[in-house]
Amino acid sequence: MLERVAGWVPGEPVPNDLLPDGWGVDDAWVRRRTGIGSRHRAGPGAATGDLAYEAASRLLAGAPETGPVDAVVLATATPDHLCPGTAPALAARLGLGTVPALDIAAVCSGFVYGLALCHGIVASGLYRRVLLVGADVYSTWLDPEDRSAGVVFGDGAGAALVAAGRTGDPGELLAFDLGSDGTGYDLITVPGGGARARAEGKPPALPDAYFRMRGSTVYQHAVERMTGSCRALLDRVGWDPAEVDHFVPHQANARILRAVADRVGIGPQRCVTHLERVGNTGAASIPLALADAAGRGVLRSGDRVLLTAFGGGLTWGSAALRWPGTPQEISTDSTEGTQHVAVR
C-alpha cells in the first residue's frame, strides 16, 4: 500500500518572462504550446541526490510513527554519476544504514515503474516498507540553445513510502500496467557518455552530452501508449472511466495531458495537474502532483486514483490505487522557494 507522499522543488520559480532572450519566446508562446508558466532550477552545486534527499527527509520527518525503512529505490534519468548509482549514497545520507538501495532508469515513467517494483518487493514478503524517490535535475542535461526542451523541463523530487497493508485499506495499490518499445530508444536520449559512445571510440562531442527529444514523434507515442495503458488497466481493475476520482498523468505538457484524458474518457475537472508551476520534472512529476493535490485538500481517503506515465526507452506504465489519507503537513519556505507536503 501507499502510505505517504512528499515533494520538493529547489530555488525560486523561473517564469516564462525570464527565459533566455535568445530563445525568442514569451509567456503567451510558452503557455500556448505547453501549458507551463514557470519551472524551478536546482542551480550550481545541486544534483539529483541533493533534491532526492530533501524530498525523502521531509517525508520521513513527517512520519515518525511509521516503522523502519527496509530498502530504497531511486527513479532518475539524471543520476549523480554514471557509476555508481545514487540510491546507496541517498540511503546513507538519510541515516538508513546498510539497507539495500538501487537506481532504476525508466526516465519519465520511473515513478510508476518504481511503484510496481516496490509493491512487488513488499508483496513478496522480502521487506515491509520501501522508500521510493523520483528525482531529476534536467537543467544539467539541457542544451542552452535548445528552447524546445528548455521551456518544458524543470527540476524536482518526490518521495513515497510503500508498505505492507491489508486488502481494502486506503492506500491499497490495486494493479499495474507496464510496457516498453526499444525500437524507439533514440527518440529521447542523451547520446554521449555511456558505454555505447565509448565503445565506438569516437572523440566526445559536446552536443552529444545534451538531452535530445524528437518532440512531434514523442507526442504521438506518448498519447497512444498512455491511452492504451490506462484502458487496459481500467479493464483489469473493473473501473469505468467515470468511476475514477482523480487522473494523475505524467506532467509532460498540457496538450498531451488533455489528449490522453479525452481519449480515456476522463473530464478535465478530475485531472490532477501541477505542470503550470513546475514544468516537466521527469520521474518527480507524478509524486509532486500528488503531494500538491493532497496539500490543497483535493485527494480524500479511499478516492480512486489512476496514474499514467510515458518516458524514454521507450517506456510507459499506469497504476490504480486508493488514496491513503488526508494531508498531515504542508509548508512553503518563501526564502528558498521550496515546497513540500506529506500525506498519510
Side-chain angles (χ1 to χ4, degrees):
M1 62 178 292
L2 178 68
E3 279 192 337
R4 302 175 68 88
V5 178
W8 190 81
V9 291
E12 295 292 339
V14 179
N16 294 332
D17 290 338
L18 293 184
L19 293 173
D21 293 337
W23 288 358
V25 302
D26 58 20
D27 182 66
W29 188 93
V30 177
R31 288 180 183 272
R32 185 168 60 252
R33 287 164 173 77
T34 69
I36 297 169
S38 63
R39 72 287 297 148
H40 290 251
R41 305 288 196 222
T48 295
D50 301 312
L51 273 64
Y53 171 78
E54 295 292 346
S57 61
R58 283 161 171 76
L59 175 71
L60 297 176
E65 74 283 0
T66 62
V69 171
D70 302 315
V72 176
V73 175
L74 173 64
T76 184
T78 62
D80 288 359
H81 304 93
L82 287 177
C83 177
T86 308
L90 172 63
R93 189 172 175 184
L94 290 168
L96 300 178
T98 58
V99 300
L102 72 151
D103 292 10
I104 59 171
V107 196
C108 295
S109 304
F111 186 78
V112 174
Y113 265 59
L115 271 182
L117 174 63
C118 293
H119 170 73
I121 291 173
V122 172
S124 72
L126 184 60
Y127 298 111
R128 288 191 56 82
R129 181 169 286 102
V130 182
L131 170 65
L132 169 63
V133 182
D136 277 306
V137 182
Y138 271 101
S139 60
T140 60
W141 289 115
L142 298 179
D143 185 341
E145 297 182 0
D146 181 7
R147 76 176 186 184
S148 63
V151 301
V152 171
F153 285 93
D155 302 335
L161 282 173
V162 179
R166 296 174 299 182
T167 300
D169 280 353
E172 183 180 7
L173 295 166
L174 299 170
F176 298 89
D177 179 84
L178 306 176
S180 74
D181 180 5
T183 64
Y185 79 98
D186 60 341
L187 296 179
I188 302 172
T189 183
V190 178
R196 177 66 62 190
R198 294 167 187 253
E200 292 174 353
K202 299 176 182 177
L206 182 58
D208 288 343
Y210 291 127
F211 176 90
R212 302 297 180 195
M213 180 170 65
R214 290 159 56 183
S216 60
T217 305
V218 167
Y219 174 91
Q220 296 168 4
H221 277 280
V223 172
E224 175 185 348
R225 300 302 190 180
M226 285 194 287
T227 299
S229 181
C230 286
R231 288 172 174 169
L233 187 59
L234 289 174
D235 286 344
R236 193 170 305 158
V237 297
W239 290 356
D240 185 272
E243 296 177 310
V244 174
D245 295 306
H246 306 287
F247 179 51
V248 190
H250 163 54
Q251 311 286 293
N253 73 52
R255 291 188 302 126
I256 291 177
L257 271 58
R258 287 194 297 266
V260 175
D262 287 346
R263 294 188 183 196
V264 176
I266 297 176
Q269 73 279 4
R270 289 181 286 143
C271 294
V272 172
T273 61
H274 195 215
L275 177 76
E276 193 274 338
R277 285 177 284 151
V278 299
N280 182 343
T281 54
S285 76
I286 287 179
L288 278 174
L290 288 171
D292 176 72
R296 292 186 287 110
V298 172
L299 304 176
R300 295 172 298 178
S301 179
D303 279 354
R304 297 182 179 191
V305 181
L306 175 64
L307 315 178
T308 191
F310 175 88
L314 299 170
T315 61
W316 59 87
S318 301
L321 63 118
R322 292 190 179 275
W323 187 246
T326 55
Q328 295 295 300
E329 169 188 305
I330 180 170
S331 69
T332 300
D333 184 344
S334 59
T335 61
E336 296 292 335
T338 60
Q339 305 172 18
H340 63 278
V341 59
V343 302
R344 55 168 291 186

